[in-house]
Amino acid sequence: MHTSSAAQLTTGSTNNPPETTRPNLRLINGGGALRQSLAEVVASLYPHALRLTRNVDRARDLVQDTALRVLAFEHTFTPGTHFKAWVRQVMYSIFLSNCRRQRRERSALSAWISDPVSWSKELSDETQPPLLPGLKRALDNLPAGFTQTVVLVDIEEWSYRDAATALGVPVGTVMSRLHRARRLLGEQLLQAA
């Protein structure tokens, strides 16, 4: 056992990948059974991380992030439970979070590629242009719940969820009202034409 306050632990034996691909774990202030268990388990995390990420660098980062997360949340570990399974679940959770973040980034990037100035456009406080008189009349002839739904979703461009929250109804009700309101509006506009 090391007596220094910072012990450098490397994973694995001679059968593991070369030194440049093996993750390192620096334990600050030695300490604790959980930290010792983590030092023993960290070598077995790398192959699993490599299978998940299929990339050497990302696998090392995933193991490092897992070790940091385990150390940060060591107080949540229940003694007597399977430590290695808990650590692997932490790693899998981090991996899934990273995948979700990458998907959001790709989505934002594709939006930016299709409209490069979209992020630089200033938000304006200008109101919507007035509705055409025929459309306004047709909208006013709809039942109140339908009118509110069309105004929120189609005119003010709210999401279904936000409109449902504002109206105090389920999202399915918003979708149903919107479908029927659009059909009624179409019929009224055709009759007026």
Side-chain angles (χ1 to χ4, degrees):
M1 183 148 194
H2 295 284
T3 57
S4 67
S5 64
Q8 181 73 26
L9 299 175
T10 59
T11 62
S13 62
T14 57
N15 295 337
N16 280 349
E19 184 66 33
T20 58
T21 61
R22 283 187 283 148
N24 290 328
L25 175 65
R26 180 183 266 314
L27 297 180
I28 307 299
N29 297 327
L34 183 124
R35 292 171 184 239
Q36 288 301 98
S37 298
L38 179 61
E40 295 166 7
V41 168
V42 82
S44 67
L45 294 178
Y46 180 74
H48 186 63
L50 193 56
R51 279 191 301 273
L52 287 172
T53 62
R54 298 181 179 164
N55 180 288
V56 172
D57 293 330
R58 281 188 274 167
R60 286 194 344 235
D61 290 345
L62 181 58
V63 171
Q64 180 181 358
D65 290 345
T66 301
L68 291 174
R69 181 83 51 92
V70 166
L71 292 174
F73 292 97
E74 65 184 300
H75 62 279
T76 64
F77 176 69
T78 307
T81 59
H82 195 266
F83 179 72
K84 187 175 180 179
W86 180 68
V87 172
R88 286 183 71 157
Q89 184 59 42
V90 169
M91 183 171 68
Y92 189 67
S93 176
I94 293 169
F95 172 72
L96 287 179
S97 295
N98 289 342
C99 289
R100 289 183 188 116
R101 182 175 32 253
Q102 288 172 353
R103 187 174 13 166
R104 285 191 306 266
E105 289 171 356
R106 280 193 302 269
S107 175
L109 183 60
S110 68
W112 184 76
I113 287 172
S114 65
D115 185 9
V117 294
S118 64
W119 291 350
S120 62
K121 291 179 183 173
E122 291 185 23
L123 297 175
S124 65
D125 291 334
E126 297 175 14
T127 59
Q128 294 284 337
L131 296 175
L132 297 173
L135 181 58
K136 175 102 171 86
R137 258 191 318 277
L139 196 57
D140 290 339
N141 289 336
L142 291 177
F146 289 5
T147 303
Q148 293 170 336
T149 305
V150 170
V151 168
L152 290 177
V153 175
D154 286 341
I155 297 174
E156 295 183 11
E157 298 179 348
W158 286 26
S159 70
Y160 290 162
R161 184 181 308 157
D162 292 340
T165 303
L167 296 172
V169 297
V171 174
T173 302
V174 168
M175 294 168 69
S176 175
R177 284 182 184 175
L178 193 59
H179 174 74
R180 292 190 316 215
R182 288 172 179 164
R183 191 182 72 231
L184 289 172
L185 277 174
E187 290 171 1
Q188 288 184 32
L189 291 173
L190 280 174
Q191 289 175 358

